[in-house]
Amino acid sequence: MISSIWSNPSHLPTALAESASAVDQLIDRLLAVPDGPEARVYEAMRYSAQAPGKRLRPFLVLASASLFGVSLTSALQVAAAIEMVHTYSLIHDDLPAMDDSDLRRGRPTCHKVYDDATAILAGDGLLTMAFEVLADADTHGDPAVRCELVSYLAKCAGSAGMVGGQMIDLQAEHDATLDIGAITRLQRLKTGALIAFSSEAGAILGKAAPETRKLLHAYAHDIGLAFQIADDLLDAEGTEAETGKSVARDAEAGKATFVSILGLAGAKTQARALVDQALGHLDTFGDKADLLRQVAHFVIARRS
Ligand code: GRG
């Protein structure tokens, strides 16, 4: 049972730490380093995947799966897969050809510790292994469910989702003229699509009715945008010590963001409104959705 991993579900920091520990143990097993010269790519994959991130997406998988009586084994498989895809995106985003960042999760970035080619391969290795994990029989007894997970993650991570959002972002890099609609679409693809997959994964595993899954999609849409506004606020107001990554990059690059368009106060108001809207989508789930409610508040209160 999923709830067995949470000793105190009303205390979000403890619940986040407990689900992070469970998913990290599985990732540790999945990324066992083989003998042979290919060991280097596994070491680079482990370096980034085991770095101290929030493990927010795995948590969303576990919290959404807990609504539908899904087994812990199934939910952890999906949680590990989404964290692998997320980590791949961070490794590639930090490369000199993209964001050229030296610091991620409070540590030197993968390409700084290894080299660019190894970092590219580590990202590729994590992305492809995620689909191997989803397709594994441990993920769900019903092949149709596994197929739906593979297909939906491919859509969310690929050119119709995160990769597409990253492409728009790279093209808009020095464009301060993007309007709020364009930024919203960019961020829905770049950040929101993986958050949508994570939040809907429980409904897919639990074979929930389409209208129930839609509620989680709507919740994810709202917290995804709130998460991105919080990210823009951290870039504008946070410190490198708090966030574990470079800050003030957006303003330096002259980039249009939610903060540059709405202002600091306007962005905070908008983020709070999105969280309220997200909570509204959870009404029908009752107390069972309390962790999803708490995490909605957390995405805008976080300092890293
Ligand atoms: C390279 C295909 C490709 C995509 C990159 C997600 C992404 C697209 C880039 C990451 C850069 C970034 C700062 C995105 C904005 C929000 C975001 C996804 C932040 C990082 O996620 P967190 O805060 O990170 O959940 P941790 O380290 O806690 O897992």
Side-chain angles (χ1 to χ4, degrees):
M1 227 165 80
I2 293 168
S3 55
S4 65
I5 64 166
W6 294 313
S7 59
N8 180 4
S10 55
H11 188 246
L12 184 68
T14 308
L16 270 169
E18 287 165 343
S19 61
S21 160
V23 76
D24 285 358
Q25 282 174 40
L26 177 55
I27 289 176
D28 184 51
R29 273 197 281 124
L30 293 166
L31 295 181
V33 182
D35 283 334
E38 73 275 30
R40 181 176 168 83
V41 76
Y42 283 84
E43 278 152 15
M45 289 156 80
R46 292 173 72 87
Y47 173 77
S48 292
Q50 296 182 325
K54 292 180 288 300
R55 310 292 190 262
L56 176 68
R57 294 155 193 79
F59 184 79
L60 287 169
V61 173
L62 296 181
S64 72
S66 73
L67 301 176
F68 303 103
V70 170
S71 80
L72 180 58
T73 304
S74 290
L76 281 175
Q77 289 274 116
V78 180
I82 190 66
E83 188 62 19
M84 286 180 183
V85 173
H86 170 57
T87 305
Y88 126 76
S89 80
L90 301 179
I91 296 173
H92 282 197
D93 186 62
D94 290 334
L95 285 165
M98 295 216 194
D99 224 19
D100 196 10
S101 295
D102 295 349
L103 192 67
R104 171 68 67 183
R105 292 176 161 174
R107 296 180 178 179
T109 43
C110 192
H111 67 276
K112 285 276 158 194
V113 174
Y114 294 89
D115 52 63
D116 293 1
T118 306
I120 291 169
L121 290 174
D124 294 342
L126 286 165
L127 174 64
T128 42
M129 192 181 287
F131 289 97
E132 184 184 343
V133 170
L134 290 185
D136 191 281
D138 275 357
T139 298
H140 202 282
D142 184 345
V145 169
R146 303 202 297 271
C147 198
E148 171 65 12
L149 290 165
V150 165
S151 162
Y152 192 42
L153 183 57
K155 184 175 170 210
C156 291
S159 47
M162 181 175 68
V163 166
Q166 179 77 345
M167 187 74 255
I168 301 171
D169 201 18
L170 289 172
Q171 284 174 300
E173 196 109 291
H174 305 288
D175 186 354
T177 64
L178 243 59
D179 64 13
I180 193 85
I183 292 183
T184 301
R185 174 160 189 270
L186 184 172
Q187 299 302 353
R188 272 186 77 169
L189 297 178
K190 182 178 153 185
T191 316
L194 290 198
I195 291 180
F197 174 84
S198 309
S199 307
E200 289 174 65
I204 298 171
L205 286 166
K207 300 186 180 182
E211 54 276 20
T212 306
R213 181 170 160 187
K214 263 189 206 147
L215 291 170
L216 290 168
H217 183 82
Y219 162 85
H221 171 257
D222 294 336
I223 66 159
L225 277 183
F227 178 92
Q228 188 56 52
I229 294 175
D231 213 68
D232 290 352
L233 284 162
L234 281 172
D235 188 69
E237 295 186 312
T239 64
E240 209 167 89
E242 279 176 324
T243 61
K245 61 184 179 184
S246 313
V247 293
R249 301 286 298 256
D250 298 338
E252 259 171 44
K255 197 170 162 183
T257 67
F258 287 113
V259 170
S260 74
I261 293 181
L262 301 172
L264 287 170
K268 286 174 191 169
T269 305
Q270 183 62 23
R272 280 193 296 269
L274 283 161
V275 169
D276 287 344
Q277 200 168 286
L279 298 178
H281 299 303
L282 298 177
D283 286 348
T284 54
F285 298 108
D287 295 349
K288 279 194 295 186
D290 274 352
L291 279 172
L292 288 175
R293 289 188 185 91
Q294 289 184 61
V295 92
H297 290 292
F298 167 79
V299 294
I300 61 167
R302 69 198 172 94
R303 297 302 301 165
S304 73

